[in-house]
């Protein structure tokens, strides 16, 4: 599938809103196409979320559809702005899959990121050594140079947490993540120390769901919710699988995701106790390393 045909969640919501506005105004797709000097195919692709719409086109459609409500216009303009600004990864675009670009856009623009991880530390909090180990194991065919590129790229993504207006970040980790010795005990110990160091509630909160909590069995896998404030008022659920991803923004999927997060957060240790658990695991790892020497 061509990258230009990828439907981002915001583009899909914009298309749906424009179709509803056109139908409410009694305007045909042919009339809309004529107004913005295009054909019916482009109108269909815009309304199906498969084509971007420019600000000039949007203003023309506002007039044609008689969209007078300022809040509605502001909301639609905000939706249309997605993808129009220069992105920090633009220079690497040819090396990135369409679904990965969508993930980068979501995490770069979100006001709040809430993630539930069942297997590994999320990429936004990985150390270079931990990230390198994961990349090598996941893609053994990559050359050393390619592994270095992707490890550096993963760390570059973390700059969103260091900017002036970072997203509020909540990370829920299944306790097994803290024991999975990716890269070996020394790499894991360094990764856990990093998690302890960066945890600064409420801006960046890390909570561990301990083994003793049976609630964890209800969750079937990792997912992340990206949240955007007004005028977007949008939540997008990202579910990774194999070498692709799902991006969901329908009300039911979002509702179920928040319900799972709320339930598991209630079962999780508070941030301070989570840090204490990580400290104890680091101590055990270091003791084991000393004993093995």
């Amino acid at each position: 599938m061509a990258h230009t045909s990828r439907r981002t969640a915001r583009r899909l919501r914009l298309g749906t809103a424009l179709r509803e506005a056109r139908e409410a105004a009694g305007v045909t797709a042919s009339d809309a196409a004529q107004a913005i000097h295009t054909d019916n195919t482009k109108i269909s692709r815009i309304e199906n979320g498969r084509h971007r719409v420019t600000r000039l086109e949007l203003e023309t459609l506002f007039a044609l559809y008689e969209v007078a409500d300022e809040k509605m216009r502001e909301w639609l303009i905000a939706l249309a702005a997605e993808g129009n600004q220069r992105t920090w990864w633009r220079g690497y675009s040819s090396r990135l899959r369409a679904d990965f670009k969508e993930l980068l856009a979501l995490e770069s623009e979100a006001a709040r990121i809430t993630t539930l991880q069942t297997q590994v530390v999320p990429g936004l909090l990985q150390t270079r050594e931990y990230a390198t180990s994961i990349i090598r194991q996941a893609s053994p065919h990559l050359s050393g140079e390619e592994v270095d590129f992707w490890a550096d790229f993963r760390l570059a993504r973390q700059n969103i947490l260091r900017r002036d207006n970072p997203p509020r970040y909540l990370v829920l980790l299944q306790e097994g993540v803290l024991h999975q010795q990716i890269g070996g005990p020394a790499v894991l110990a360094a990764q856990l120390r990093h998690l302890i160091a960066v945890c600064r509630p409420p801006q960046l909160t890390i909570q561990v769901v301990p083994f003793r909590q049976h609630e964890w069995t209800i969750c079937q896998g990792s997912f992340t919710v990206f949240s955007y404030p007004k005028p977007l008022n949008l939540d997008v659920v990202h579910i990774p699988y194999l070498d692709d991803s799902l991006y969901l923004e329908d009300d039911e999927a979002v509702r179920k995701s928040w319900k799972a997060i709320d339930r598991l957060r209630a079962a999780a240790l508070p941030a301070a106790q989570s840090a204490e658990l990580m400290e104890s695991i680091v101590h055990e790892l270091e003791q084991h390393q000393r004993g093995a020497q």
Side-chain angles (χ1 to χ4, degrees), residues 70-287:
E70 277 303 317
K71 288 187 178 180
M72 172 62 76
R73 292 166 70 102
E74 182 185 4
W75 179 63
L76 294 176
I77 289 169
L79 286 172
E82 178 263 324
N84 291 335
Q85 57 269 72
R86 186 175 180 84
T87 54
W88 67 264
W89 63 87
R90 190 167 185 170
Y92 309 104
S93 189
S94 62
R95 303 184 68 167
L96 308 177
R97 298 194 319 265
D99 68 298
F100 188 39
K101 290 185 202 178
E102 188 166 349
L103 173 62
L104 294 172
L106 287 169
E107 69 185 19
S108 293
E109 299 167 14
R112 182 170 50 148
I113 302 175
T114 307
T115 189
L116 180 64
Q117 295 292 324
T118 64
Q119 295 183 315
V120 298
V121 171
L124 291 178
L125 296 180
Q126 292 176 9
T127 64
R128 194 180 197 288
E129 292 75 15
Y130 187 93
T132 299
S133 298
I134 289 178
I135 293 166
R136 282 201 185 110
Q137 292 175 37
S139 305
H141 61 283
L142 293 180
S143 67
E145 182 179 351
E146 289 173 315
V147 170
D148 287 341
F149 168 81
W150 289 112
D152 288 341
F153 193 89
R154 186 164 300 182
L155 264 64
R157 287 169 54 196
Q158 298 175 7
N159 285 331
I160 68 166
L161 300 177
R162 292 186 282 270
R163 67 192 186 194
D164 292 338
N165 59 333
R168 183 165 289 198
Y169 195 23
L170 168 62
V171 180
L172 294 173
L173 296 176
Q174 192 239 9
E175 186 178 343
V177 173
L178 309 184
H179 296 277
Q180 185 67 37
Q181 294 189 17
I182 293 172
V187 170
L188 177 59
Q191 175 64 75
L192 296 183
R193 287 194 208 95
H194 178 65
L195 294 181
I196 296 167
V198 298
C199 185
R200 293 289 183 274
Q203 190 60 49
L204 199 164
T205 305
I206 302 170
Q207 293 183 247
V208 177
V209 182
F211 286 136
R212 67 176 182 268
Q213 291 291 351
H214 69 280
E215 291 282 354
W216 188 259
T217 60
I218 298 172
C219 181
Q220 297 181 3
S222 303
F223 66 91
T224 301
V225 181
F226 298 96
S227 301
Y228 306 85
K230 293 180 180 180
L232 289 179
N233 271 344
L234 177 66
D235 287 326
V236 180
V237 182
H238 169 237
I239 305 174
Y241 68 95
L242 297 178
D243 60 349
D244 207 340
S245 300
L246 290 175
Y247 296 94
L248 310 174
E249 52 97 19
D250 60 278
D251 292 342
E252 184 62 14
V254 170
R255 185 190 67 79
K256 288 181 177 179
S257 298
W258 282 118
K259 186 175 180 180
I261 288 167
D262 290 343
R263 185 170 57 239
L264 290 166
R265 191 171 190 189
L269 299 173
Q273 290 183 29
S274 296
E276 290 173 3
L277 176 58
M278 288 187 275
E279 288 273 17
S280 68
I281 295 172
V282 169
H283 181 68
E284 291 175 8
L285 289 168
E286 291 175 341
Q287 276 193 323

Side-chain angles (χ1 to χ4, degrees), residues 22-33:
R22 177 177 62 77
E23 292 173 348
V27 175
T28 67
S30 296
D31 289 338

